[in-house]
């Protein structure tokens, strides 16, 4: 009787830590491409609305939105503010790699961002 109880407690503990691991993975900070409908975001269909906008919002707006510390150099305020500064943004993120300050983009995020620039920055 005692042994069985210990065993089930052990099983519970294993289950709980497994769930904890799953939960921490799902809270990953990387920007995952959104899926409009069932369509996966790829280098062929990447757009501002399915990927790039969320990336700038999460990785850049902290410093570059109106009132932010670096808004004097470039103010992020939606699609036009990115399109009109596309060359500078491409340069600091993908060429020199100086942005984002204090953070980084995953290889997948960089590849999709490059594809978005290569597609001439479509909004949709
Ligand atoms: C932690 C704050 C911070 C974050 C996050 C950040 N930046 Fe910056 N950014 C700065 C600062 C500070 C400067 C001014 C750097 C300088 O004067 O050399 C700057 C400058 C720039 C410039 C102007 C470069 C030029 O040509 O003058 C651009 C464009 C830019 N950042 C884009 C981005 C993008 C895109 C992201 C997100 C991927 C980003 N930044 C994230 C702080 C930040």
């Amino acid at each position: 009787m005692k042994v069985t109880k210990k065993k089930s407690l052990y099983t519970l503990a294993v289950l709980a830590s497994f769930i904890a691991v799953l939960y921490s993975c799902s809270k990953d900070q990387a920007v995952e491409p959104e899926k409009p409908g069932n369509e996966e975001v790829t280098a062929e269909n990447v757009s501002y609305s399915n990927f790039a906008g969320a990336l700038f919002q999460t990785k850049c707006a902290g410093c570059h939105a109106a009132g932010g510390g670096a808004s004097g150099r470039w103010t992020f305020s939606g699609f036009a503010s990115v399109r009109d500064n596309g060359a500078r943004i491409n340069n600091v993120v993908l060429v020199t790699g100086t942005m984002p300050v204090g953070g980084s983009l995953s290889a997948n995020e960089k590849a999709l961002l490059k594809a978005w620039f290569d597609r001439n920055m479509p909004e949709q």
Side-chain angles (χ1 to χ4, degrees):
M1 188 61 182
K2 214 176 176 188
V3 176
T4 318
K5 201 175 176 188
K6 262 192 181 165
K7 242 188 172 175
S8 63
L9 272 177
Y10 177 72
T11 311
L12 259 178
V14 169
L15 254 176
S17 47
F18 183 64
I19 289 167
V21 167
L22 272 182
Y23 185 64
S24 66
C25 287
S26 69
K27 287 190 74 177
D28 200 318
Q29 290 296 302
V31 177
E32 289 301 328
E34 279 176 30
K35 294 179 182 178
N38 289 325
E39 207 181 359
E40 194 179 342
V41 176
T42 66
E44 284 71 42
N45 70 12
V46 63
S47 71
Y48 184 83
S49 62
N50 73 9
F51 173 74
L55 184 89
F56 293 122
Q57 183 64 53
T58 51
K59 304 280 180 165
C60 318
C63 299
H64 286 284
S71 59
R73 302 301 294 263
W74 166 56
T75 304
F76 171 74
S77 61
F79 175 66
S81 70
V82 176
R83 180 199 56 207
D84 296 348
N85 292 280
R88 293 166 71 208
I89 293 168
N90 187 28
N91 188 50
V92 291
V93 178
L94 297 175
V95 180
T96 66
T98 51
M99 294 294 139
V101 173
S104 62
L105 304 184
S106 71
N108 188 42
E109 286 167 341
K110 283 186 193 167
L112 285 175
L113 193 62
K114 180 182 183 307
W116 184 66
F117 282 121
D118 289 347
R119 296 186 72 219
N120 209 12
M121 301 180 276
E123 185 169 14
Q124 298 298 328

